């Protein structure tokens, strides 16, 4: 049996109740065999055994009070997975589905994603099973303050720098930052995704969606094609989905779907600039449901389903993990989908990924395609350290350059290991080798 197989089996035994974490481990480990054969020094240093075990996991109680005076208790997490390349970095997710296994899968993915950006950032992730939906601003603020009261002991600008993720946008980052500042008496870049006039970076809100579209454009460019004129199927309607649509429009593509956890809308005329502005107001200000789009613009709303049955040339899953099943991947292929860029983390189930690769669909895995968000967070950290902001154009140009670099290093690694065009293998190998080499350089830690 191979080294990767043994480590995966050991991890399964050690983490029996963490299916998403095991899924993420398997997806990475299964692609590393050729590298480990060529580099016996990795096994000698027990790199995989060390890599699959987080450096630190913090789990804590988050008590908070509702507007009606009732008491509530949620569970908070911070996974500090790997600091070989820099301070832990990764978002905070507030969603009722959050649990230890999901946090660990996200933090594990983050290690390789952050490595691919070429910036000095290690891998982490955190969050809570708190559901911000339907809560008042006051309740969200009290929750965030309580969450940060504990988290502040574990983070810092040179230690661990969280950002947003599902359920954590500008409002939540503001409350978390305010509480950190109050507790530590420090105005530092301890979080990214901050407001523009208090240390945030231009392009951070746009970065993940823009990056996913840049990555898709690079993959298409590699085969002499482009996004221009393509019909795009987008899921989700939050941060990533919104800015994916915006960049798709700029590249001449036509997004025709958006979704949330209740269903999806299909607008065959395309979600144009004006309609997208309306969605942003609906989702970010009124905090309404995507169904309202269908009422406003008189198009179809399909309750309880995901948009992958709609024919299109390009797919941008931008909602959550495991949102494209094997059957849905096959439907996309059958309908002529040529390119998939994962804006969300691990949105495609492993059998779906296999189907895309077998059908030679250009498939950009999340750790490469959605790395634009964390890359721009890294750029926010640089600006905070210099106390000097860059212009929108400067940050966007750097982001675009980083996404091109990720495409190049993934494509080159895939080619080197005789799997040209397989960006899953390429991204895993390119991300892994930098981290493994740094771990060896730093001794047994
Ligand atoms: P948001 O909270 O802004 O939006 C999430 C969207 O996904 C909402 O439309 C939400 O619908 C939908 N969604 C969430 N959970 C589910 C579910 N279980 N089933 C169906 N739909 C669901 O989050 P983001 O846009 O920031 O994040 C989306 C994805 O992108 C996540 O996988 C995240 O990890 C990933 N990502 C985000 C980055 C960022 O910079 N924001 C960076 C890299 C990756 P509803 O309102 O009904 O819950």
């Amino acid at each position: 049996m191979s080294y990767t197989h043994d480590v995966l089996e050991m991890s399964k035994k050690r983490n029996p109740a963490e299916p998403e974490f095991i899924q993420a481990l398997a997806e990475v480990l299964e692609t590393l065999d050729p590298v480990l054969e060529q580099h016996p020094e990795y096994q000698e240093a027990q790199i995989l055994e060390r890599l699959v075990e987080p450096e630190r996991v913090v789990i804590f109680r988050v008590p908070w009070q509702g507007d009606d005076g009732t008491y509530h208790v949620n569970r908070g997490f911070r996974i500090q997975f790997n600091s070989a390349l820099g301070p832990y970095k990764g978002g905070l997710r507030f969603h009722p589905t959050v649990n230890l296994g999901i946090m660990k899968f996200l933090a594990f993915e983050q290690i390789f994603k952050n490595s691919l950006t070429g910036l000095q950032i290690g891998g982490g992730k955190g969050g809570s099973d708190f559901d911000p939906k339907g809560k008042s601003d006051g309740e969200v603020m009290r929750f965030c303050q309580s969450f940060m009261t504990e988290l502040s002991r574990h983070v810092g600008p040179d230690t661990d720098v969280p950002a947003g993720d599902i359920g954590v946008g500008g409002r939540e980052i503001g409350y978390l930052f305010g509480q950190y500042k109050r507790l530590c008496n420090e105005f530092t870049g301890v979080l990214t995704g901050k407001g523009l006039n208090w240390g945030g970076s231009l392009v951070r809100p746009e970065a993940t969606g823009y990056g996913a579209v840049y990555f898709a454009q690079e993959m298409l460019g590699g085969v002499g094609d482009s996004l221009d004129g393509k019909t795009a199927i987008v899921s989700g309607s939050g941060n990533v989905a919104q800015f994916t649509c915006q960049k798709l429009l700029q590249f001449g593509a036509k997004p025709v779907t958006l979704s949330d956890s209740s269903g999806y809308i299909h607008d065959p005329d395309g979600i144009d600039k004006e309609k997208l502005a309306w969605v942003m107001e609906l989702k970010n200000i009124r905090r309404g449901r995507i169904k309202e789009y269908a009422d406003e613009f008189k198009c179809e709303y399909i309750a309880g389903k995901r948009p992958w049955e709609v024919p299109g040339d390009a797919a941008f899953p931008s909602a959550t993990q495991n949102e494209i099943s094997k059957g849905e991947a096959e439907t996309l292929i059958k309908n002529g989908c040529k390119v998939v860029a994962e804006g969300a983390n691990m949105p495609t189930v492993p059998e779906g990924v296999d189907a895309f690769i077998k059908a030679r669909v250009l498939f950009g895995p999340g750790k490469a395609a959605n790395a634009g968000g964390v890359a721009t967070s890294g750029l926010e950290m640089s600006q905070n350290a210099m106390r000097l902001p860059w212009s929108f154009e400067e940050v966007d140009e750097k982001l675009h350059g980083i996404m091109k670099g990720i495409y190049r290093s993934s494509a080159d690694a895939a080619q080197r290991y005789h799997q040209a065009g397989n960006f899953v293998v390429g991204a895993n190998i390119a991300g892994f080798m930098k981290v493994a080499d740094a771990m060896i350089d730093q001794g047994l830690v």
Side-chain angles (χ1 to χ4, degrees), residues 93 95 97 106 113 125 133 164-168 204 208 236-241 259-262 283 289 318-321 343-345 370 373-374:
R93 175 176 293 191
H95 197 269
T97 55
L106 289 163
K113 183 187 307 192
K125 197 82 187 186
K133 245 182 258 143
D165 188 68
I166 293 178
V168 178
R204 178 60 189 92
T208 306
S237 48
N239 172 273
V240 179
S259 71
D260 58 26
S261 47
S262 313
K283 283 289 166 179
R289 308 301 293 160
S318 313
T320 194
Q321 64 273 3
N345 285 309
N370 72 36
V374 73

